[in-house]
Amino acid sequence: MAAVADGRGATALPLLAGEGPLALRRTRGTGAEAGVMLVGAMSAPLGGDHLTVEASAGPGARLALASAAATLALPGRGGEPARYDVRLTLAEDSAVRWMPEPLVSVRGSDLRVRTRAELAPTARLLLREEQVLGRSGEEPGLLRSRLTVTRGGIPLLDQELACGPGAPGGWDGPAGLAGHRTLGQLLVVDPAFTASPPTAAVLGEFAAVTPLAGPAVLVTALAPDALRLREVLDAACRTYGW
């Protein structure tokens, strides 16, 4: 999908196309934003699937991306891993909100998630990720996730996590998730932080605010369930987002 400023204070979507298990629907945005909803047309990702979401925001464009429901990572017949790639490109003075519903790692699944965002120096990004390890009363599958963000071609954030059977030892220990089954993060990149940067802080018992080496802040949280995780990240969004 591609978003461009229409010259009248709003954002147009000259390219909005989806196929396979992902359908794209335009929704009502806020102010100058164009809204896009990802709708699952079938169960995915299954083992062996490779899904890709690509979005670009041209100079001055405003784009809000969301999903209609949680994404379930499901096992395939042959045991192959599934891949889910998200690629965001933000031009000068653009703003993108990527706020999907949680990703649920189902028992027996093997999913590799890769999110890459490339920002111009004056672009703004609000990105939320939530992972749920297993359905109610269920052990999780293997989930490997990597988030890479560059700003003006300079690395801003590059982090990776692995949870579930087959992940490095200790992922569920006291130094890892400590028994929690939901985890998430909120990343906010905003040039306004240059003049007034956020400070490091603790949000409750299992959430932390980490300023990055750039006009950005990362909020990382653990929670016993998806509802509590969303409450923590929503509170952080009200504080640091827009």
Side-chain angles (χ1 to χ4, degrees):
M1 74 190 77
V4 298
D6 67 0
R8 301 187 300 273
T11 299
L13 296 171
L15 176 62
L16 184 64
E19 61 182 15
L22 294 178
L24 305 180
R25 300 289 183 265
R26 175 153 191 172
T27 60
R28 185 181 300 275
T30 301
E33 279 185 339
V36 175
M37 185 72 69
L38 277 68
V39 180
M42 62 185 73
S43 295
L46 298 170
D49 287 350
H50 185 185
L51 308 182
T52 301
V53 175
E54 293 183 309
S56 64
R62 302 288 184 267
L63 180 61
L65 302 171
S67 58
T71 298
L72 269 66
L74 301 168
R77 291 185 177 182
E80 304 95 337
R83 293 174 57 190
Y84 192 167
D85 294 334
V86 178
R87 301 169 186 165
L88 307 175
T89 306
L90 286 69
E92 295 286 352
D93 298 315
S94 65
V96 171
R97 293 191 293 148
W98 170 241
M99 307 282 277
E101 293 302 305
L103 170 64
V104 182
S105 176
V106 173
R107 182 176 61 188
S109 65
D110 184 350
L111 177 63
R112 302 174 185 181
V113 181
R114 178 70 186 271
T115 302
R116 286 175 283 186
E118 298 178 0
L119 284 70
T122 56
R124 294 188 299 161
L125 173 65
L126 179 61
L127 181 150
R128 182 186 70 207
E129 290 186 336
E130 299 169 312
Q131 289 95 23
V132 179
L133 304 181
R135 294 170 291 193
S136 180
E138 176 186 67
E139 291 299 312
L142 175 58
L143 173 62
R144 288 169 282 192
S145 177
R146 184 174 180 182
L147 171 61
T148 305
V149 181
T150 61
R151 179 176 178 266
I154 299 174
L156 179 64
L157 176 67
D158 190 347
Q159 70 173 25
E160 188 171 359
L161 67 85
C163 302
W171 69 270
D172 198 25
L177 302 187
H180 290 83
R181 283 295 179 265
T182 62
L183 62 155
Q185 56 191 355
L186 182 79
L187 172 68
V188 185
V189 184
D190 191 336
F193 291 157
T194 302
S196 181
T199 58
V202 175
L203 302 178
E205 188 175 2
F206 296 105
V209 179
T210 305
L212 302 181
V217 64
L218 179 68
V219 179
T220 306
L222 302 177
D225 55 56
L227 178 61
R228 177 56 184 157
L229 179 67
R230 178 64 61 85
E231 290 175 351
V232 173
L233 295 181
D234 279 352
C237 187
R238 290 191 292 270
T239 301
Y240 302 106
W242 68 85

